[in-house]
Amino acid sequence: VSAERLRVSLYGDGQVNRNVAAILRRRSGYDVLGPYDRGGRDRALRDGTDVVVIATTSFLTEIADDVRAALTSGSNVITTAEEAAFPWAVDASLAGEFDELARREGVTGLGCGLNPGLAFDALVLTAAGAAWEVERIRVQRSVDLSRFSSTILRRLGVGYEPAEFAAGVREGTIHGHIGFPQSMRIVAGAVGVELERIDRQIEPIYARHAHATADMSIPPGATAGFTQRYTGIVGGRGWYEAVFTGHVDPVANGTPPRDQIDVLGTTPLHLVVEPGFDPQTGSSAMIANSIRRLVAARPGWLTVAELPPAHPG
Ligand SMILES: NC(=O)c1ccc[n+]([C@@H]2O[C@H](COP(=O)([O-])OP(=O)(O)OC[C@H]3O[C@@H](n4cnc5c(N)ncnc54)[C@H](OP(=O)(O)O)[C@@H]3O)[C@@H](O)[C@H]2O)c1
């Protein structure tokens, strides 16, 4: 696979795929088509390229037709949609359909990025390789949100007055970061633990002064970030605790970008990445660096726990 020239088409003309195109075009061994916007959907998905990258939205139902089109055209599929990293957590029948379709076509599907894809799952499992057993896991991640588009910031929960934030959480239009149940289920499944449930909480962080991103102004008193806590419960107790703080000015907020993984047990492990993984460059790299491991993998819809580590190549 490493010597093989690969045709890769990119669907979704956003920051991830623009970066993936730039990464792959710096390398020999790839013919890159796109990124294509909605108008280029058929060319992106139905060309039968070796790999189709779908980087459009986070939700399984919204990518389902695109995934079907690419798989039935004989392409391997990699998507940044967080829910697709472990689609069984969202819709077991759709996940089963993707898996069956991929097997029938002899191709592979994967949901991947930095988060899910590395910070809360693959890297946790890699660190756990040096542990005698896993009694408990704690992962804390602090992320700079300032370079996300306003569409993504609004969905995350940034730029809202207090009452709007509370209503958005209640009504399900504010999601915070998506993908914790997927990461937790990937890790639990790999180490043979059954999660009873996953509890979740999201708390707003209000701006003390005005902030501005490329396409959003945040007045004082509106949300400039948030903290999410997800807890995977086993035996009635927290087994996997994930804490994610996102902010448009994380240094001023006192939460500079940082990733910390603790794998607790007889041989406790403490892994820190400082500054933390960059959400933009890191995610695009994870996608570009997953293409060859995807092509080499067995057919079916897989998770990052079933693949070797991603790396440039
Ligand atoms: N797993 C991970 O670690 C990870 C990492 C990075 C990103 N992501 C996720 O991947 C997605 C893309 O990220 P991004 O930063 O590239 O976002 P972005 O900059 O907002 O770009 C998304 C692009 O996709 C298009 N799009 C949206 N919905 C679409 C649909 N249903 N069909 C076709 N095109 C559609 C948008 O075009 P329009 O303007 O026409 O809507 C936009 O050009 C996001 O949902 C993000 O949360 C996941």
Side-chain angles (χ1 to χ4, degrees), residues 1-2 4 76 108 290-299 307-308:
V1 170
S2 57
E4 193 186 331
N76 298 285
T108 311
S290 289
I291 286 172
R292 288 197 182 272
R293 65 177 177 162
L294 184 76
V295 171
R298 71 162 173 85
L307 295 174

Side-chain angles (χ1 to χ4, degrees), residues 5-77:
R5 191 163 186 86
L6 297 174
R7 292 179 75 233
V8 180
S9 78
L10 308 175
Y11 185 49
D13 189 14
Q15 64 87 16
V16 167
N17 265 347
R18 289 180 186 195
N19 279 325
V20 171
I23 295 167
L24 295 180
R25 286 185 172 127
R26 289 157 63 106
R27 298 180 184 172
S28 57
Y30 298 92
D31 293 319
V32 182
L33 288 71
Y36 294 104
D37 61 15
R38 293 170 195 259
R41 181 178 183 274
D42 275 1
R43 259 177 301 154
L45 302 176
R46 295 195 185 278
D47 201 13
T49 49
D50 296 302
V51 176
V52 171
V53 177
I54 300 173
T56 52
T57 146
S58 300
F59 305 104
L60 202 59
T61 51
E62 292 182 12
I63 58 158
D65 281 341
D66 300 337
V67 168
R68 287 185 187 106
L71 292 177
T72 52
S73 301
S75 296
N76 298 285
V77 171

Side-chain angles (χ1 to χ4, degrees), residues 208-220:
R208 286 190 290 264
H209 55 85
H211 295 277
T213 67
D215 60 356
M216 185 187 268
S217 302
I218 301 163

